[in-house]
Amino acid sequence: MTAIVEQVTDAAPRRRPHATLILGLCFTGAIAVLALVSLFWLPFDPSDISGGRLEGPNAEHLLGTDKLGRDLFTQLMIGARIALVVGTASVALAAVLGVAIGLTAAFARPWVDDSLSATLDVIIAFPVLLLAMLVVAVQGASLWSAILAIGLAMSAVVARLTRILARRVLHEQFITAARTSGTRLPGIIAFHVLPNIAPTLGVNLALQFGAAVLAEASLSYLGLGAPPPNASWGRLLQEAQGTVLTAPVGAIAPGIALVVLVLGVNFIADGLRDFADPTRRRSR
């Protein structure tokens, strides 16, 4: 009985959410609320230029106006929606392609595995932003081109990690037992490989989400992201750089929003890593 009580007492602290996970959920949740609200309500029409040019924060315009007289808070809310859409869609695309390629490499013959691994190494050697710029240059600047570009660029990283994790699992004894019992390849992947690599893969995808948001902002800043009137945070930063001394809020607001979202998803990834790694849980 004493041993049972000790086990329960020892396990209880491990179930408590880590502080970084809670902080990450708060940061990301705040941006998500802005994005969801923007679907149903905006303070002003995005194309409304009736406000004064470069006004400071006031009762009517919480963050002031830009150089065209548009409400900055409205633009910030639309930017939150774009950031979450691009981040979610590009990471989903990277996950589907990356997991498929990684599993193919893990289960393939050695020469196929070597060929895929070499190809992935070459792709990973190029920065994500550079690959995204190449894809956007071919497809043309648009929101969906940005999603496609970022997703394809990140899929190589996901594929590489999936291959490494899957090959590690394939050397376990329960895989040998499953094969001996007659379990087919789809069953091994679905019931043995994927459940064992999912925690680590989930942490990596959370980190990739933050990188995707930064990549989209960078593309928009360079004029290769979502074209006007889409109010991407990167485009807001680009438009505000000429007036940063006279109207600093135009650059500070989207910059802070970008930092909050990226920090939020990184904190979530750190919290998920604590739950996925028992040794880290014990150390805390």
Side-chain angles (χ1 to χ4, degrees):
M1 183 65 180
T2 304
I4 296 176
V5 173
E6 290 178 352
Q7 291 177 1
V8 173
T9 305
D10 181 64
R14 301 178 189 176
R15 297 194 185 99
R16 291 182 298 180
H18 194 263
T20 55
L21 179 59
I22 297 176
L23 188 60
L25 290 174
C26 291
F27 281 5
T28 308
I31 302 298
V33 168
L34 283 180
L36 290 175
V37 171
S38 72
L39 295 174
F40 309 101
W41 174 82
L42 290 170
F44 292 87
D45 187 274
S47 59
D48 184 1
I49 57 174
S50 61
R53 296 177 64 253
L54 300 178
E55 286 188 1
N58 53 60
E60 185 178 7
H61 302 282
L62 295 180
L63 295 178
T65 60
D66 63 8
K67 60 184 179 181
L68 297 178
R70 297 172 300 185
D71 181 66
L72 280 176
F73 189 62
T74 299
Q75 305 292 315
L76 192 74
M77 293 176 68
I78 297 174
R81 184 202 311 168
I82 292 176
L84 291 180
V85 167
V86 171
T88 303
S90 58
V91 168
L93 177 61
V96 171
L97 293 178
V99 170
I101 296 172
L103 290 177
T104 300
F107 283 91
R109 296 180 180 276
W111 67 271
V112 176
D113 181 22
D114 293 339
S115 300
L116 288 175
S117 298
T119 303
L120 293 175
D121 289 340
V122 172
I123 296 175
I124 293 173
F126 289 91
V128 172
L129 182 59
L130 178 59
L131 291 176
M133 289 173 62
L134 293 175
V135 174
V136 171
V138 174
Q139 295 290 326
S142 69
L143 183 63
W144 296 111
S145 293
I147 292 173
L148 177 64
I150 297 171
L152 290 176
M154 290 184 169
S155 62
V157 177
V158 179
R160 181 71 170 173
L161 178 62
T162 301
R163 172 191 173 275
I164 294 173
L165 295 175
R167 289 184 66 85
R168 186 181 303 167
V169 172
L170 290 177
H171 288 88
E172 298 293 337
Q173 293 183 354
F174 60 83
I175 296 294
T176 303
R179 286 172 170 169
T180 304
S181 64
T183 305
R184 297 180 179 273
L185 182 59
I188 292 177
I189 294 175
F191 299 110
H192 299 286
V193 176
L194 288 179
N196 281 280
I197 70 175
T200 304
L201 200 58
V203 172
N204 180 261
L205 291 177
L207 294 173
Q208 295 295 331
F209 186 98
V213 171
L214 287 175
E216 189 280 328
S218 300
L219 288 174
S220 296
Y221 183 86
L222 296 173
L224 298 175
N230 294 298
S232 168
W233 288 340
R235 188 172 64 81
L236 292 179
L237 288 170
Q238 190 276 332
E239 291 179 349
Q241 68 178 357
T243 59
V244 66
L245 296 179
T246 57
V249 178
I252 293 175
I256 290 178
L258 189 60
V259 170
V260 167
L261 180 56
V262 174
L263 278 179
V265 294
N266 284 343
F267 285 157
I268 290 175
D270 186 62
L272 292 176
R273 187 184 295 113
D274 288 341
F275 283 102
D277 188 349
T279 60
R280 289 173 61 93
R281 287 203 304 266
R282 293 193 195 100
S283 65
R284 295 179 185 272

